[in-house]
């Protein structure tokens, strides 16, 4: 029998709906996953099996085929564990199917059947809302991030067992919600402040001008003159980040798994300072499953390149286009993805290799 | 393969068959051979068609007998099983792979263990 469960995968910064079809038939026992799965998706088998057993279900001795559709979209990560498990139970009639179309279901399974958080929640919940789903069933730790989106029900669950009880109507789960404005205000605190910088009035003035006019800045001075200190405190004199900006930046941090589940939102302007050994892919984004780089992680904030002269020439070159456009396009054989990258670029360097050019020694 | 091992194998298969009968299996094939390899026993357990590999050892010294099935062996059994289903036009039956593990120790006696659904098609 065939069962269908709905979920999503992330490509670029957007979520795309994925239909998980599980077909269970008679024949030699096997378990195969098709539809461009990556390694983590393929390994899903080895998590789903023990998770089902440890949740009190027999793993079916049948020919099992899982198809992730559409087949031309690469599927990545462990978030399909839960929908695959639910599909299996539905296809073998261990649970009823009637409520499945209403939800997006996602989560990584531990071997004991409990759920682990996954990445890219924010875009997934947005997509579910766009498709007028009734709700999203997801791991508890992802609930706060998911609740940033209003107008769709968020059902946090701790284990496979709970999901089944919920789908079968044996238990009620209250949709999770939180006051986004309050959370946003609570989190909008910087650990440092620009006013901690003593003196240096001319530098501070210059930086205030740069910030007001939306310019980039280069700090040049001997070691210990406070360049790093000043740069770190720049986000605190930028205009406060707005909620829509914060959500945009949160989306990017969520996709790469940098979002702390407890904080749930990036409520301050990001400050990113990659080491000078960084590669061009890590800086502007890319990879086989294109991921945002540092320039996108600093979207709506500050990208600080300390010891600017030490960065590889070609790494600095790739900054040109996104600096002008505020967006980066990464081309792939199949279409291209774009990541927002509007940031203030701040560089710092010593005036000469020993750092003391022009000073009395 | 030495004569001793062949004899050991035969004895193991005979004991395994008796054991399976006592568990309610109905044996339908013994040593089903193809050019790819063979399956020791094919049987019905209720309505499930079971392909059975018998592993025999003389002692535990080299590990448990069921541990001696390599991926290679599983692949072979898988292929032979698929061929069998095709040849007998058996689609739409539930199937599984079982392993009967025997230890024939001259001093400590005989130990038999049945592992149902021991592995999947590979
Ligand atoms: N204007 C200043 N006001 C307060 N502390 C300063 C100032 N300039 C430098 N410092 C102190 O000196 C330390 C080293 O400065 P740093 O920013 O690392 O210098 P640089 O990056 O130019 O080498 C800082 O952590 C800070 O404690
Ligand atoms: Mg410094």
């Amino acid at each position: 029998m065939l069962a269908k469960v709905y979920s999503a995968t992330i490509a670029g910064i957007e979520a795309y709906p994925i239909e998980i079809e599980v077909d269970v038939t008679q024949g030699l026992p096997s378990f195969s996953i098709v539809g461009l799965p990556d390694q983590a998706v393929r390994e899903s088998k080895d998590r789903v099996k023990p998770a089902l057993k440890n949740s009190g279900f027999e793993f079916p001795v049948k020919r099992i085929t899982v198809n992730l559709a559409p087949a031309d979209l690469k599927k990545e990560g462990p978030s399909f564990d839960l929908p695959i498990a639910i599909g299996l139970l539905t296809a073998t009639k261990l649970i009823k199917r009637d409520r499945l179309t209403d939800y997006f279901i996602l989560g990584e399974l531990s071997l004991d059947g409990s759920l682990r958080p996954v990445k890219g929640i924010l875009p997934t919940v947005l997509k579910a809302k766009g498709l007028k789903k009734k709700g999203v069933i997801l791991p508890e730790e992802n609930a706060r991030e998911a609740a940033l989106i209003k107008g769709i029900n968020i059902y946090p669950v701790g284990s496979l067992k709970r999901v089944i009880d919920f789908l079968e109507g044996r238990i009620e789960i209250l949709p999770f919600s939180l006051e986004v404005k309050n959370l946003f205000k609570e989190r909008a605190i910087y650990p440092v402040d620009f006013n901690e910088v003593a003196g240096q009035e001319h530098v501070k003035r210059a930086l205030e001008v740069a910030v007001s006019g939306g310019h980039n800045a280069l700090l040049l001075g001997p070691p210990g003159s406070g360049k790093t200190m000043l740069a770190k405190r720049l986000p605190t004199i930028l205009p406060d980040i707005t909620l829509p900006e914060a959500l945009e930046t949160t989306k990017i941090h969520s996709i790469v798994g940098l979002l702390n589940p407890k904080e749930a939102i990036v409520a301050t302007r990001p400050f990113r300072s990659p080491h000078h050994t960084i590669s061009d892919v890590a800086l502007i984004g890319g990879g086989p499953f294109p991921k945002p780089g540092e320039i996108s992680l600093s979207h709506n904030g500050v990208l600080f390149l300390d010891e600017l002269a030490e960065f590889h020439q070609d790494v600095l070159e790739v900054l040109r286009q996104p600096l002008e456009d505020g967006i980066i396009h990464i081309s792939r054989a199949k279409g291209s993805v774009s990541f927002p990258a509007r940031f203030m670029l701040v560089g710092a360097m010593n005036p000469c290799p020993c750092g003391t050019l022009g000073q009395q020694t | 393969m030495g004569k001793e091992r062949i004899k050991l194998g035969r004895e193991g298969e005979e004991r395994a068959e008796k054991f399976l009968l006592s568990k309610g299996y109905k044996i339908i094939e013994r040593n089903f051979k193809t050019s790819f390899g063979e399956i020791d026993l094919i049987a019905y357990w209720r309505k499930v068609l079971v392909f059975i590999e018998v592993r025999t050892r003389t002692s535990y010294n080299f590990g448990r007998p069921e541990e001696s099935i390599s991926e290679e062996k599983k692949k072979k059994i898988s292929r032979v099983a698929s061929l069998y289903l095709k040849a007998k036009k058996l689609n739409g039956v539930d199937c599984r792979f079982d392993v009967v593990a025997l230890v024939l120790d001259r001093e400590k006696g005989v130990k038999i263990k049945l592992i149902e659904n021991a592995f999947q098609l590979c």
Side-chain angles (χ1 to χ4, degrees):
Chain A
M1 197 181 113
L2 185 73
K4 288 185 186 180
V5 186
Y6 301 87
S7 194
T9 198
I10 308 287
I13 191 173
E14 298 300 328
Y16 294 85
I18 299 293
E19 206 174 284
I20 295 111
E21 299 175 309
V22 182
D23 190 34
V24 176
T25 56
Q26 288 159 325
L28 294 168
S30 64
F31 190 171
S32 56
I33 301 179
V34 296
L36 278 191
D38 80 339
Q39 192 59 29
V41 179
R42 252 181 260 129
E43 282 171 2
S44 181
K45 288 185 239 183
D46 302 326
R47 290 186 297 269
V48 168
K49 226 189 240 185
L52 279 174
K53 277 189 185 152
N54 292 326
S55 303
F57 294 96
E58 277 292 323
F59 189 82
V61 185
K62 300 271 182 183
R63 214 180 109 174
I64 301 162
T65 313
V66 175
N67 181 32
L68 308 172
D72 60 351
L73 197 65
K74 281 199 213 169
K75 326 294 184 308
E76 183 201 14
S79 70
F80 296 107
D81 290 1
L82 182 59
I84 288 173
I86 297 293
L88 257 174
L89 292 174
T90 312
T92 50
K93 296 187 187 154
L94 289 169
I95 58 177
K96 282 182 259 137
R97 55 157 60 199
D98 45 339
R99 296 179 72 185
L100 285 181
T101 46
D102 298 341
Y103 304 100
F104 263 12
I105 301 179
L106 57 151
E108 175 183 343
L109 281 169
S110 317
L111 304 189
D112 65 0
S114 61
L115 284 166
R116 288 175 199 270
V118 293
K119 297 178 201 171
I121 290 295
L122 203 51
T124 301
V125 174
L126 269 172
K127 178 55 75 180
K129 185 183 169 183
L131 292 172
K132 302 211 162 51
K133 293 278 172 195
K134 259 194 206 157
V136 180
I137 300 174
L138 42 65
E140 270 163 1
E141 280 181 67
N142 288 129
R144 289 169 70 81
E145 179 186 348
L148 295 175
I149 309 294
K150 296 285 156 198
I152 180 158
N153 287 341
I154 304 301
Y155 298 101
V157 281
S159 68
L160 177 60
K161 197 97 188 42
R162 295 271 301 171
V163 184
I164 293 157
D165 286 343
F166 173 67
L167 287 171
E168 289 277 81
R170 282 194 290 271
I171 57 165
E172 273 296 315
I173 296 177
L174 284 183
F176 180 84
S177 74
L178 52 77
E179 274 305 323
V180 178
K181 289 221 174 76
N182 289 353
L183 176 76
F184 181 56
K185 238 185 259 162
E186 252 169 56
R187 294 284 165 209
I189 295 164
Y190 293 91
V192 293
D193 198 281
F194 199 66
N195 67 18
E196 292 158 358
V197 182
Q200 301 279 36
E201 296 306 332
H202 57 300
V203 187
K204 286 198 268 187
R205 170 87 184 125
L207 287 175
E208 279 160 15
V209 171
V211 161
S212 312
H215 305 296
N216 302 310
L218 176 62
L219 299 165
L220 194 74
S225 57
K227 301 183 297 293
T228 305
M229 183 188 187
L230 279 154
K232 270 196 184 138
R233 286 157 178 78
L234 270 174
T236 70
I237 59 164
L238 280 161
D240 285 343
I241 195 168
T242 64
L243 185 54
E245 281 176 328
L247 289 178
E248 242 183 339
T249 303
T250 302
K251 219 171 163 184
I252 301 168
H253 284 238
S254 167
I255 289 169
V256 295
L258 268 182
L259 193 65
N260 179 338
K262 288 208 192 79
E263 291 173 4
I265 186 167
V266 180
T268 54
R269 294 205 176 267
F271 176 84
R272 304 287 306 177
S273 67
H275 191 253
H276 61 73
T277 52
I278 191 171
S279 69
D280 51 353
V281 167
L283 187 64
I284 65 163
F289 289 89
K291 287 275 173 291
E294 288 292 337
I295 61 169
S296 297
L297 292 169
S298 41
H299 180 59
N300 291 320
V302 173
L303 176 65
F304 179 50
L305 302 184
D306 208 352
E307 312 296 352
L308 185 68
E310 305 290 328
F311 282 74
H312 292 288
Q313 178 78 28
D314 43 340
V315 169
L316 293 178
E317 290 293 338
V318 295
L319 280 174
R320 280 175 199 276
Q321 182 261 320
L323 264 178
E324 269 181 27
D325 302 343
I327 189 164
I328 177 81
H329 306 285
I330 296 166
S331 306
R332 278 286 167 280
K334 267 189 192 252
S336 76
V337 297
S338 305
F339 297 113
R342 218 172 338 95
F343 56 91
M344 175 178 181
L345 177 65
V346 180
M349 57 193 280
N350 298 324
C352 68
C354 80
T356 54
L357 183 74
Q359 284 190 320
Q360 309 264 306
T361 43
Chain B
M1 218 188 281
K3 269 195 184 142
E4 268 308 300
R5 276 203 59 190
I6 296 177
K7 234 180 89 191
L8 178 72
R10 284 276 168 274
E11 189 183 345
E13 275 161 38
E14 275 160 30
R15 284 185 184 265
E17 197 177 322
K18 272 195 202 120
F19 175 75
L20 289 170
L21 283 173
S22 76
K23 291 269 176 186
Y25 285 62
K26 281 195 199 109
I27 311 290
I28 54 171
E29 301 274 356
R30 292 178 188 82
N31 299 311
F32 178 77
K33 281 198 184 76
T34 70
S35 52
F36 294 125
E38 66 167 38
I39 291 182
D40 295 332
L41 293 166
I42 303 178
Y44 271 107
W45 182 79
R46 302 204 176 145
K47 287 192 170 161
V48 184
L49 185 63
V50 192
F51 299 93
I52 301 147
E53 169 70 11
V54 181
R55 302 304 275 184
T56 313
R57 286 277 172 93
T58 45
S59 73
Y60 282 110
N61 292 348
F62 300 99
R64 294 160 179 275
E66 61 266 33
E67 283 167 4
S68 69
I69 302 184
S70 61
E71 286 303 308
E72 205 49 43
K73 184 81 193 170
K74 286 181 196 167
K75 268 190 196 136
K76 254 190 196 159
I77 297 172
S78 294
R79 280 176 88 179
V80 178
S82 305
L83 276 176
Y84 181 82
L85 290 181
K86 272 216 189 94
K88 306 275 167 179
K89 299 205 167 54
L90 285 167
N91 30 29
V93 255
D94 275 324
C95 309
R96 74 177 192 228
F97 297 104
D98 285 7
V99 172
V100 176
L102 292 106
V103 179
L104 305 180
D105 195 312
R106 297 289 165 227
E107 280 134 46
K108 291 178 199 148
V110 183
K111 284 223 172 75
I112 304 186
K113 193 166 131 195
L114 171 67
I115 304 142
E116 288 172 26
N117 193 29
F119 58 91
Q120 295 208 312
L121 188 73
C122 46

